[in-house]
Every structure is written in structure tokens, then in C-alpha cells.
Amino acid sequence: MPTLWGSVSFNRQQGAWCLRGTWQGQRLYYSEYYTAIGPKTCETEHEAKLLQSFISNEIANGTFDPRRYKKTKPIHLKKYADAWLERIRPTIEKGTYDPYRAAIKWIKEILGDVFLSDLNYNHYIKLWTEIKLSKKYRKNILTTMYAMMEDARRSGDVKQVPEKIVFKGKFSIPKKLKEGVDRSTQEKIIDQIPARHRPIFQFLAITGVRPSEARALRKKDIYRERGIIKIKVAFGRDGKVKEVKQKEEREIPFYEALIDVFSAAQLSISEFVFINPDTGKPYSKNINRDIFNPAAKRAGVSIKLNNFGRHSWGQQMPDKGIDFNIISKGLGHSSVETTKSHYADPSMQVLKSAVDGDRVVKIDRAKGE
């Protein structure tokens, strides 16, 4: 049995038993030992002697690390959340960072006064019940909380994390149909846009691509002889060109209607197709605020730019009876199920036409009688 290291005594000031000793010239003091549920203060002499035995064995085996038994200060959730967000920022995309930042704001507001080591399952429930947002956003906030706590566990900042909330049955977020307008309404808005800016908006209405993709469309990605356009890049929020969403480039047809659109586009030596004639540069992310929104207002239509082009295109295609697999490919969705969840099934239009047509016939017959 190894020689016992240090001496056990009672610290009246702290009201706890402790272990004192010298190791490699360092004077050490310990009053905590670790259990499966985290650090525990030595409340009895027996616990202090157990701690003495653990440390003595480690010293004898050459595995003793004084940092392992150092009393840790509790970490405030609010402070830890801010530090965690900044730590992971370089490792994630801006599109991921922004939702994380929004979630952390809610987490700090609801649980900010809690210490990290004190978090338990009831705090997860508190988040779920007190945040007055949709189920989708509350679930995203909980997911952020889970990710932060798992990182804290892996980093050794907490010994364990609370169990996640388990929703009984299938937990799913119902998708809302995207808002869009018909072709005539699109034309009504385009008529209110100054002629020098119209080409890019006509391109959006014809193709259904994202505004960021249209702004970044390059001349070299147009293959008129092959009848295709490749959507490879888009402008990010930072104004830099990046790969398209999900990094999956796609091809769309070179529609005949685009011949006039490209002919009307401002000629320049730029690699990009659509250049803002007012700046001599590609259109910025403020294209909606500076050009589209005022035009839509003058037309008496309340709609966002992405809904004007992409979502309107997604709605118009089913109305024309186009197969969902084809629509999904044109929109660049990862699965056809995503497309179906956002846009009306074309079979609904077929049924509508059949029923409405039948009603017209019956009404006409009634008048004839």
C-alpha cells in the first residue's frame, strides 16, 4: 500500500474537510472530489480520506495531475454561451451562425442566470414552454442548446448533460405553402421597374432561380448552343461569390424568352451577366430594397423578391400540370418531397378544372331548361 500523501483536516472557514500537502515543490489544497454527477465537497472525514487515498495511489503510479482535483468555479450560462458562439464562429457558415446567434439570445434571456453545471432537464422544458415562437423555431433553439452542452461536455466544462426532450409520436413541422403571384401580376410589377433594371427581374420570373444566384450569373455559365444555363455560384451575405446552396450546381433550360432578356442586359466587360447600370457593378443584396420594393408598392402588390420570382415560378408550374420531379430539379431542391411540401400538387388543379368544368355544364343545362 502506498504511503498516504498529505494530511486530512477540517476547514472551519469553509465548513468542509480538506486535504493539504506538498508535491514537487507546490503547496496544494483540495476539498472536492469528482463523482459521476460532477464535483462534490468533502462533507465528512471519511470522504477526505478517500480523496487522500485516490491521490496517493496516483502519485505512486506516476499518473497524478494536480489540475484534475483543482476546485472549479461555476460557469455562468450567459457568459459561456457568448464564448461558445465566438469559438465556433470560424468553423461554420454564416447561414448557420445567424440562427445560432438568434437562438443564443433566447437561451440567455430565459436561462441566463443559471450556472452551466446546474442545468437539468427542467431547464430544457422551461425553454420549450416559455419561448413564444412556433414549434419550428423552438425546436431549433433546443437543438442549439443541445449542441452547446455537448461541446461543454466534450471540453470538460461539465461532466454530463441533461437528457434531451423526447416528443411522443412523430414530431414534424408542418410546411407552409410558399406565397407567390401569377404571371400577369409579375408583369404588372416589372412594368413599374425602370427599364434599365428590368432584365434581372425578368430573368427571375422566367427561371425561378434565387436572387443571389441571378446576381452572380456569369457569362461563362451560359451554354446557348447546348440550350442550358448552369447555376453554379451565388453571392453570399458578405458580398462574396460562393458555391450555390448545398454546394449542388444545377442546370436549367435556356428558355427562348431569355434571348430578349440577355439582349437588353447592360453590356460590359464584367464576367457577370447582370450589371447595375447605376454603379457599373453586379447588383447588390439591396436590389430588393432599392429597386424591387418601391416598384411592387407602386403596382399595389405586397410581396418579397424571392416570392416574386422563385416561389411564383414554383406555384405556376404545378398549375400547368408539370411533374413534381421536373419542378424539383428546376428549383434545385434536394428531394422532390421538399418541393411537394411547399407547392400545391398539380393534381389539385386537374381536379379543380374537372369539377369546375362539370359545374359549368350543369349550370348551362339548367339555363337551357
Side-chain angles (χ1 to χ4, degrees):
M1 182 175 178
T3 302
L4 291 177
W5 174 85
S7 60
V8 172
S9 62
F10 183 74
N11 188 324
R12 293 183 179 278
Q13 186 175 358
Q14 291 190 1
W17 287 84
C18 63
L19 177 65
R20 306 174 196 267
T22 302
W23 180 80
Q24 294 185 352
Q26 298 181 48
R27 296 182 64 183
L28 304 176
Y29 171 92
Y30 298 117
S31 61
E32 282 187 353
Y33 64 98
Y34 282 92
T35 69
I37 59 173
K40 187 178 187 304
T41 301
C42 295
E43 297 177 351
T44 65
E45 183 179 9
H46 175 68
E47 288 177 316
K49 287 184 176 180
L50 281 176
L51 176 60
Q52 183 184 36
S53 177
F54 294 152
I55 292 177
S56 298
N57 279 316
E58 290 180 0
I59 290 175
N61 296 329
T63 60
F64 176 60
D65 183 349
R67 294 173 299 179
R68 188 181 306 159
Y69 296 94
K70 184 178 180 181
K71 188 172 183 179
T72 57
K73 294 182 179 179
I75 304 173
H76 211 262
L77 172 62
K78 186 178 294 185
K79 183 176 180 180
Y80 184 86
D82 288 335
W84 175 77
L85 193 61
E86 288 308 304
R87 187 168 68 247
I88 66 169
R89 185 172 187 171
T91 67
I92 57 178
E93 297 287 338
K94 181 173 174 54
T96 303
Y97 173 79
D98 287 342
Y100 270 14
R101 182 178 59 181
I104 289 297
K105 183 179 179 181
W106 279 104
I107 290 170
K108 291 194 302 181
E109 182 175 329
I110 303 298
L111 304 177
D113 294 329
V114 178
F115 287 111
L116 205 65
S117 57
D118 292 336
L119 282 166
N120 57 47
Y121 180 80
N122 288 331
H123 290 110
Y124 288 171
I125 296 295
K126 184 180 176 70
L127 266 182
W128 179 257
T129 55
E130 292 193 12
I131 294 176
K132 305 305 179 184
L133 296 174
S134 68
K135 286 185 177 180
K136 174 183 177 180
Y137 287 109
R138 283 185 287 164
K139 186 170 182 288
N140 289 342
I141 292 168
L142 277 176
T143 300
T144 302
M145 184 73 178
Y146 298 153
M148 182 179 69
M149 292 303 293
E150 280 297 327
D151 280 356
R153 182 186 61 80
R154 284 190 287 265
S155 301
D157 296 313
V158 293
K159 294 300 178 182
Q160 66 177 19
V161 298
E163 292 184 12
K164 298 177 181 178
I165 296 177
V166 177
F167 296 93
K168 293 182 179 180
K170 185 177 179 182
F171 181 79
S172 60
I173 307 299
K175 300 286 186 180
K176 291 183 178 180
L177 291 180
K178 300 294 185 180
E179 295 180 4
V181 294
D182 56 27
R183 185 62 184 165
S184 62
T185 305
Q186 286 177 313
E187 293 292 347
K188 184 179 178 182
I189 296 173
I190 290 175
D191 286 343
Q192 295 299 321
I193 295 173
R196 65 185 185 281
H197 294 303
R198 287 179 188 171
I200 189 170
F201 297 100
Q202 291 170 327
F203 181 80
L204 290 172
I206 293 169
T207 64
V209 305
R210 299 177 178 89
S212 59
E213 295 169 342
R215 289 165 42 218
L217 181 66
R218 302 172 299 190
K219 294 172 183 176
K220 66 179 182 180
D221 294 330
I222 299 175
Y223 300 84
R224 184 174 177 180
E225 68 284 355
R226 292 170 53 189
I228 62 170
I229 296 173
K230 291 189 176 183
I231 306 299
K232 292 184 176 182
V233 295
F235 275 116
R237 295 184 182 182
D238 57 2
K240 297 180 181 179
V241 175
K242 63 175 185 178
E243 293 179 276
V244 291
K245 193 174 182 180
Q246 298 177 338
K247 299 183 179 181
E248 293 184 3
E249 66 177 63
R250 66 188 187 279
E251 295 179 356
I252 62 173
F254 186 106
Y255 303 104
E256 288 296 316
L258 293 178
I259 296 176
D260 291 337
V261 171
F262 291 147
S263 296
Q266 185 79 8
L267 294 177
S268 72
I269 59 174
S270 172
E271 65 174 315
F272 299 104
V273 175
F274 298 110
I275 299 298
N276 185 336
D278 298 340
T279 65
K281 299 177 181 179
Y283 285 94
S284 72
K285 62 181 179 181
N286 295 327
I287 186 174
N288 54 341
R289 183 196 68 189
D290 297 339
I291 303 174
F292 178 78
N293 291 348
K297 186 176 181 179
R298 288 193 294 271
V301 181
S302 177
I303 192 170
K304 295 179 180 179
L305 178 56
N306 201 41
N307 295 56
F308 159 84
R310 183 171 179 77
H311 299 325
S312 293
W313 189 91
Q315 282 188 357
Q316 292 166 14
M317 293 304 105
D319 288 346
K320 295 180 179 180
I322 305 300
D323 184 83
F324 257 118
N325 289 292
I326 297 174
I327 298 171
S328 182
K329 187 175 181 180
L331 290 169
H333 283 162
S334 57
S335 71
V336 69
E337 295 305 319
T338 299
T339 313
K340 288 181 177 179
S341 68
H342 288 317
Y343 303 102
D345 191 325
S347 62
M348 295 297 101
Q349 183 65 20
V350 175
L351 288 173
K352 183 178 183 300
S353 298
V355 173
D356 287 348
D358 187 48
R359 288 181 63 195
V360 170
V361 170
K362 288 184 178 180
I363 290 172
D364 287 344
R365 287 177 179 172
K367 287 181 178 180
E369 292 175 358

